[in-house]
Amino acid sequence: MEQKLALSMTQSACRHGYEPLKAQTLEAGAPPDLKEGFLAGEDLAADHPAVRNDPANIGPNQWPPQLHEFKGVMTSYVREMKRLANTLMHGLALSLDLEESYFDDFCREPILTLRLLHYPPQPPNSAPNEKGCGAHTDWGGITVLLQDAAGGLQVQHADGSWITAPPIAGTFVVNIGDLFARWTNNLYRSTLHRVINKSGRDRYSVPFFLDGRSDHLVSCIPTCVGEKRLFPDTTVRGHLEEMVRRTYAAAG
């Protein structure tokens, strides 16, 4: 724990580093989440233009000196996930009757986050409504999730019931985030999901969040306008800052 806290995300302007158990509350009114994690992004120096433009969301990572291969593995994984996410965004563009390259500017020098998450087993004496991860929607563009075999992920059905999303070997789970939902005027929805680790053992998952270029304008996509625009224009940065204020204020 001493080594983990030496990399606390609280000492990083862009919130990269270690996040302790119960630091975040994703479900309003619920106890803090029973998870701990390590957050990283693209490892950009403080004088990089993207960092200077948005130091609150983009910047250098903190690396554990005890784990010599950690930085290389993480950097490689971020690079591959970024490539996969770009391919998915091309597919989403085509699905909305747009040019395949429509989201390319959004994907240029994006805010992105890789989280290594550890969920201890759900305690038998849990507080009311206490979970590994409270019910929430993802904040940004899209999420690509790698999960182990422990299970625990649940997705809310349109009728309000909860559906188990069992792990399937060799696959990712892909989520639409709130930012992409508002971009499509809710044509594509961000789905409420949660984690309850009832496996009796530790659960590990690795979500990759592609949130887009910090100053990119998010205004209703022309093919999604319909009869009424449901959301005002915003930027990627503005949207994410609001999400951070909501969840970490609740945890504090």
Side-chain angles (χ1 to χ4, degrees):
M1 182 55 67
E2 181 179 343
Q3 293 175 359
K4 291 178 182 179
L5 292 177
L7 303 175
S8 172
M9 62 183 291
T10 60
Q11 59 196 19
S12 165
C14 57
R15 298 182 296 276
H16 291 169
Y18 175 67
E19 182 181 61
L21 198 70
K22 299 185 178 182
Q24 189 178 37
T25 304
L26 284 171
E27 182 176 338
D33 296 342
L34 293 173
K35 70 179 190 310
E36 62 175 347
F38 183 87
L39 288 74
E42 285 195 284
D43 200 18
L44 302 179
D47 60 353
H48 190 282
V51 180
R52 292 200 305 268
N53 181 50
D54 187 5
N57 290 296
I58 306 172
N61 294 320
Q62 301 188 77
W63 300 116
Q66 303 87 356
L67 303 177
H68 303 298
E69 297 182 4
F70 189 82
K71 178 179 178 179
V73 171
M74 292 280 284
T75 302
S76 175
Y77 192 79
V78 166
R79 182 174 59 249
E80 292 302 320
M81 288 299 99
K82 184 178 177 182
R83 185 179 301 161
L84 174 59
N86 287 349
T87 299
L88 291 169
M89 294 300 293
H90 285 168
L92 286 169
L94 294 174
S95 76
L96 293 167
D97 295 323
L98 303 167
E99 293 293 327
E100 183 177 329
S101 60
Y102 186 86
F103 297 115
D104 282 0
D105 187 63
F106 169 77
C107 294
R108 181 173 56 83
E109 293 187 337
I111 297 172
L112 55 83
T113 305
L114 183 67
R115 300 184 78 165
L116 308 182
L117 295 177
H118 165 229
Y119 296 85
Q122 185 79 10
N125 56 343
S126 301
N129 211 22
E130 189 173 39
K131 294 179 279 294
C133 184
H136 69 287
T137 52
D138 290 340
W139 299 348
I142 60 172
T143 305
V144 182
L145 171 69
L146 174 68
Q147 56 177 336
D148 68 6
L153 177 63
Q154 299 178 346
V155 179
Q156 191 176 63
H157 190 277
D159 64 10
S161 62
W162 288 96
I163 303 169
T164 299
I168 302 173
T171 70
F172 295 107
V173 174
V174 179
N175 289 341
I176 294 285
D178 295 336
L179 184 142
F180 197 80
R182 73 182 292 164
W183 212 350
T184 65
N185 215 33
N186 269 349
L187 178 65
Y188 288 177
R189 302 294 182 95
S190 51
T191 303
L192 202 67
H193 57 283
R194 66 186 186 184
V195 173
I196 306 177
N197 181 18
K198 298 179 181 179
S199 68
R201 63 184 190 272
D202 295 310
R203 176 185 189 266
Y204 296 91
S205 69
V206 186
F208 172 86
F209 303 94
L210 177 75
D211 298 330
R213 202 186 80 233
S214 178
D215 56 2
H216 192 84
L217 178 66
V218 179
S219 181
C220 185
I221 292 170
T223 57
C224 303
V225 172
E227 297 181 358
K228 179 182 179 182
R229 292 187 181 217
L230 301 177
F231 305 98
D233 292 353
T234 187
T235 62
V236 169
R237 178 194 304 160
H239 174 79
L240 294 179
E241 286 175 348
E242 176 60 26
M243 296 298 100
V244 169
R245 283 194 297 268
R246 289 182 192 177
T247 64
Y248 284 97

